[in-house]
Amino acid sequence: MIKNYLKIAWRNLVKNKVHTFINIAGLSIGLACSLLIMLWVQNELSVDAFHKNKARLYNVYERRYFDHKISGQYNTPGILAAEMKKVFPEIEYAINGVYNDNNTFMVGDKIIRLRGGAASPDFFKMFSFPLLQGNVQTALSSPLSIAISRKMAEDFYGSTQAAIGKTIRFENKKDFKISAVFENLQANTLEKFEYIINWDAFQIEHPGAKQWDNNWPRTTVMLKANANPEVFRKKITHFLNNYQTGQKKGIFTTDLDIQRYDQKYLYGNFSGTTFNSGRIEYVHLFGIVAVFILLIACINFMNLTTARSVKRAREIGVRKVVGAVRSVLIKQFIGESLLVTALAVIVSLVLLMLLLPLFNQLTQKHIGLPFEQVGFWLKLISITLITGLVSGSYPALFLSSFNPVKVLKGTLKLDSGTTLFRKGLVVFQFVLSVVMIIGTIVVARQMNFIQSRNLGYDRDNLVYMPVNGALSSAYEVFKTEALKMPGIKSVTISGSNPTIIDNGTVGVEWTGKDPNVSIRFVQTPIGFDFISTLKLKLLAGRDFSKDFPTDTSGYIINETAAKRMGYTNPIRQPLSLWGQKGKIIGVVKDFHLNSMHEQINPLILWSGKAENFDNLLIRTEAGKTKEALASLESLSKQINPAFSFTYTFSDEEYQNLYQSEQIVGKLANVFALLAIFISCLGLLGLAMFTAEQRVKEIGIRKVLGASVGSLFNLLSSEFLVLVVIALLIASPIAWYAMDKWLQGFAYHASIQWWMFALSGGMIILIALATVSFQAAKTALINPVKSLRSE
């Protein structure tokens, strides 16, 4: 019996080649999209989830109360881990660490600049980073010990065995001994590093990490197996009360809290009182998109299958007359659905293999097809069964319900409820498609808004160079020589990359300050010509100048800082930063110090010393950047030969701030186009169904004198009505969803009426193009042919 069903199913598929192709194409594209999203979601959820002790690993973060606001940060004092380990018996291991330093290493004549960090000795005891050489107990036990990656070992020494025990020159001022070599990090690791140095050595280079009031490193703890995280969370809440000077003086309040280490990637945005949002929102969003695209594909199957119902009605009638019961017919049609779905799954896997490289390039991932994993095949089988049952259930129930007497007499008519249900499915498809189109337009407009907005400084032709080695002491020589070279307009120096200035402090005093309010200022030291190099606009006062020796105690503030201080005329007004008294010499127009997700903070610029600076800023002449970079490389090799020449462009750094949004925008474009394509297949299915039902009506109308144009309008208009209904339903849904998304930006574009009009126009044109062929074909049919049986 099963063999017979399969034969009949296969014959039907082969007999109706166009119908079969459209059905399998719609399902396979929908399945391929859903599987791509499933793999992406799995990859997102896997970040940092590979650690053996992940259930006991927690980041400690600060919840700060000041300026009538609550904020959260992962930055903590660099001595917090050691102190917490002494005080709380629940902690088995604890570390402080930083992972985003860029430093230069030298072995012989080989010089490489690498990204890495520093951590306490418990680092490799807590995390599952396999050691190829060395052991977890001694990997970071000495102040001069360093653990390096396999790649770093092979680059410098040729092999991991040759690297162990060797010394390596760090920043041309200190030699570290390689005590361990760890395996190259997995792609699904949040923190990226090629080396880890001992925490004591880091604190020697950065004494600020030893201060309770200086929040910079991260703190991570591993609780004992029997420890209760909720009890521990409550115990540490007010731990810093007796350690931080600001809290003792009542300037601000800081609480401690914990978050599972493997949740930081997905829940990295602070909202309310915890880190509870972030990339997880995109995971949820695309998970819903995957389900919707698969639903659209299933709806297509229903529409296209029932569109063929008239041609299979006699077959069903004959089967019922010779004794087939409804349950047997349902099983047959469900079996046909599962066969089509199985074929679509095979096609979707081929599509996956073809599309995955492009998808990885788009999402900047390293996702592979996990054919070797049993779980993948179980999920694939589950998706096949669910898709087959969902897409085949309605056609099976619908077709098996035909009355054999009416069918064989040729008097079968479909009730209005059946037609309404099918039209409702098409409306549902287009609602989803319209929401995705409007969402795509809003995301694209916001990205354009970010790119075109005046930041308050000019990021074009602006190059950043790290201040390392001899550049710190020889900066003036470097600047003098660089300005003589072709293509270079101006040179300055600063303590922060202007794209992200986020070194906060509440240690600011001024005349008339309210003692009951603590305001967080961001600050950075700058050199001469900083304002002219960035092309900032001075609203009052002047820039720092060598002509004024007292500028060493002067300050430049932005508009927001002047407003928060309450100064109407800030110039020459007293200001104290960390107890260093001085006067305000200039006010600059507000410029964006960070991404547009955040409001512009009050800013203080101060005149720093050589040890305060980390970045060289070079303005090149338009069209001469390549020439300028060649000049800078040559000069850098002369003045700083022990360090490789490295640089970044300001506009690239700015783009990196919105990497997630750009990826989401590209994915939204792709999935919106695919959703529209699949929805149009569904509309085509409804057009085919309508044509089958109305072929005799059209024949009679033509005999009575109806023109082809009037018949075309008759057949097309009802489909356009469905699209308009979808537009009316989708527009408020899209507005609500995108307005909520835009609220994540402190500065954003507005949602305007033309976005909905453009989406509506696009979807109507696409829908009209989809149904026009079938409508024209039906309108042109010879009435003699359609009325022959009468």
Side-chain angles (χ1 to χ4, degrees), residues 109-239:
D109 295 331
K110 186 171 287 187
I111 301 171
I112 305 177
R113 185 172 171 83
L114 297 165
R115 179 179 177 178
S120 309
D122 286 344
F123 182 82
F124 288 103
K125 302 172 189 175
M126 296 169 60
F127 299 109
S128 301
F129 298 118
L131 293 185
L132 305 176
Q133 304 291 331
N135 64 77
V136 297
Q137 301 299 326
T138 60
L140 296 173
S141 58
S142 164
L144 292 179
S145 57
I146 182 174
I148 65 174
S149 68
R150 176 201 287 267
K151 182 178 183 302
M152 185 173 171
E154 292 174 347
D155 286 345
F156 278 113
Y157 302 100
S159 70
T160 59
Q161 294 89 345
I164 198 74
K166 299 290 176 57
T167 58
I168 188 167
R169 189 74 173 166
F170 173 81
E171 287 289 294
N172 200 32
K173 58 184 176 183
K174 181 181 290 188
D175 291 324
F176 281 99
K177 184 177 181 180
I178 299 172
S179 56
V181 179
F182 55 88
E183 184 58 89
N184 295 332
L185 300 186
Q186 298 183 29
N188 60 345
T189 304
L190 177 57
E191 307 291 357
K192 308 295 184 184
F193 51 87
E194 294 287 345
Y195 67 88
I196 295 290
I197 64 173
N198 176 274
W199 187 247
D200 291 337
F202 178 85
Q203 287 182 313
I204 292 171
E205 295 295 322
H206 303 87
K210 295 181 179 180
Q211 299 171 2
W212 282 106
D213 290 312
N214 195 340
N215 296 302
W216 177 15
R218 308 280 174 83
T219 299
T220 308
V221 299
M222 187 173 116
L223 302 183
K224 292 179 179 177
N226 60 351
N228 186 322
E230 293 305 315
V231 173
F232 177 71
R233 169 181 277 116
K234 293 176 182 178
K235 288 178 69 173
I236 69 171
T237 301
H238 304 297
F239 180 69

Side-chain angles (χ1 to χ4, degrees), residues 32 69-70 80 154 163 210 236 270-271 313 357 369 410 414 416 443 464 559 607 629 658 670 706 740 750-751 779:
K69 298 175 184 176
I70 305 175
L80 179 61
E154 292 174 347
K210 295 181 179 180
I236 69 171
F270 189 85
S271 176
L369 281 170
L414 301 180
S416 59
V443 170
Y464 302 154
E559 286 179 278
S607 181
L629 289 175
Y658 310 99
V670 172
K740 189 174 181 181
S750 58
I751 300 177

Side-chain angles (χ1 to χ4, degrees), residues 9-63:
W10 182 255
R11 285 170 182 168
N12 273 313
L13 295 178
V14 174
K15 183 180 179 182
N16 303 293
K17 292 183 178 64
V18 175
H19 171 268
T20 301
F21 173 78
I22 294 174
N23 235 339
I24 292 177
L27 267 180
S28 59
I29 292 172
L31 284 164
C33 288
S34 298
L35 289 172
L36 272 177
I37 294 173
M38 182 191 78
L39 292 173
W40 180 81
V41 168
Q42 283 183 333
N43 184 272
E44 291 284 286
L45 296 176
S46 72
V47 173
D48 284 333
F50 60 89
H51 294 291
K52 180 181 177 182
N53 297 308
K54 64 180 182 180
R56 295 194 283 147
L57 290 172
Y58 289 88
N59 283 318
V60 179
Y61 67 87
E62 291 188 355
R63 186 185 301 109

Side-chain angles (χ1 to χ4, degrees), residues 190-460:
L190 177 57
E191 307 291 357
K192 308 295 184 184
F193 51 87
E194 294 287 345
Y195 67 88
I196 295 290
I197 64 173
N198 176 274
W199 187 247
D200 291 337
F202 178 85
Q203 287 182 313
I204 292 171
E205 295 295 322
H206 303 87
K210 295 181 179 180
Q211 299 171 2
W212 282 106
D213 290 312
N214 195 340
N215 296 302
W216 177 15
R218 308 280 174 83
T219 299
T220 308
V221 299
M222 187 173 116
L223 302 183
K224 292 179 179 177
N226 60 351
N228 186 322
E230 293 305 315
V231 173
F232 177 71
R233 169 181 277 116
K234 293 176 182 178
K235 288 178 69 173
I236 69 171
T237 301
H238 304 297
F239 180 69
L240 290 176
N241 285 7
N242 297 321
Y243 292 90
Q244 291 186 331
T245 306
Q247 294 209 74
K248 293 177 182 178
K249 293 182 178 180
I251 297 175
F252 59 84
T253 302
T254 302
D255 291 344
L256 292 182
D257 206 339
I258 55 173
Q259 179 191 45
R260 272 272 296 263
Y261 183 81
D262 57 348
Q263 291 185 347
K264 181 175 181 291
Y265 176 73
L266 294 173
Y267 299 89
N269 293 344
F270 189 85
S271 176
T273 60
T274 59
F275 284 94
N276 56 11
S277 62
R279 290 184 69 90
I280 190 65
E281 295 171 355
Y282 294 134
V283 170
H284 291 156
L285 171 65
F286 282 110
I288 293 170
V289 168
V291 173
F292 282 167
I293 287 178
L294 198 55
L295 272 177
I296 290 173
C298 290
I299 290 170
N300 280 350
F301 185 92
M302 297 178 191
N303 283 338
L304 290 167
T305 302
T306 49
R308 307 296 300 177
S309 60
V310 173
K311 291 194 174 181
R312 296 197 68 178
R314 291 187 183 277
E315 173 198 336
I316 297 161
V318 171
R319 283 180 176 276
K320 282 194 169 186
V321 167
V322 297
V325 295
R326 189 179 184 190
S327 60
V328 172
L329 292 173
I330 289 174
K331 289 177 183 177
Q332 177 189 338
F333 293 127
I334 290 290
E336 291 182 12
S337 172
L338 288 172
L339 177 60
V340 173
T341 305
L343 292 173
V345 167
I346 294 171
V347 176
S348 70
L349 288 176
V350 175
L351 287 174
L352 266 182
M353 288 186 284
L354 295 174
L355 295 174
L356 205 51
L358 294 174
F359 186 77
N360 281 332
Q361 185 178 357
L362 180 67
T363 59
Q364 299 180 13
K365 294 277 189 181
H366 301 279
I367 301 172
L369 281 170
F371 288 137
E372 73 286 353
Q373 296 179 12
V374 177
F376 173 75
W377 290 107
L378 291 175
K379 288 176 183 176
L380 193 61
I381 292 170
S382 299
I383 290 173
T384 304
L385 291 174
I386 292 170
T387 304
L389 291 172
V390 170
S391 58
S393 57
Y394 174 68
L397 294 170
F398 174 72
L399 295 174
S400 64
S401 67
F402 287 172
N403 186 316
V405 176
K406 290 184 178 180
V407 168
L408 297 177
K409 287 177 66 177
T411 59
L412 176 67
K413 289 187 180 295
L414 301 180
D415 59 60
S416 59
T418 301
T419 305
L420 187 63
F421 177 71
R422 290 171 45 72
K423 290 181 177 180
L425 292 178
V426 172
V427 170
F428 177 72
Q429 285 181 305
F430 275 90
V431 166
L432 298 179
S433 298
V434 171
V435 168
M436 293 185 74
I437 291 174
I438 295 173
T440 299
I441 293 173
V442 173
V443 170
R445 180 168 167 79
Q446 176 62 12
M447 291 300 101
N448 182 64
F449 174 84
I450 288 169
Q451 301 301 327
S452 59
R453 182 175 171 84
N454 182 3
L455 301 179
Y457 69 93
D458 186 357
R459 68 176 188 269
D460 294 332

Side-chain angles (χ1 to χ4, degrees), residues 645-664:
F645 173 67
T646 57
Y647 64 90
T648 56
F649 291 107
S650 176
D651 53 356
E652 289 180 356
E653 291 280 300
Y654 182 72
Q655 295 290 340
N656 289 336
L657 295 177
Y658 310 99
Q659 191 175 72
S660 294
E661 289 80 5
Q662 289 173 344
I663 291 173
V664 167

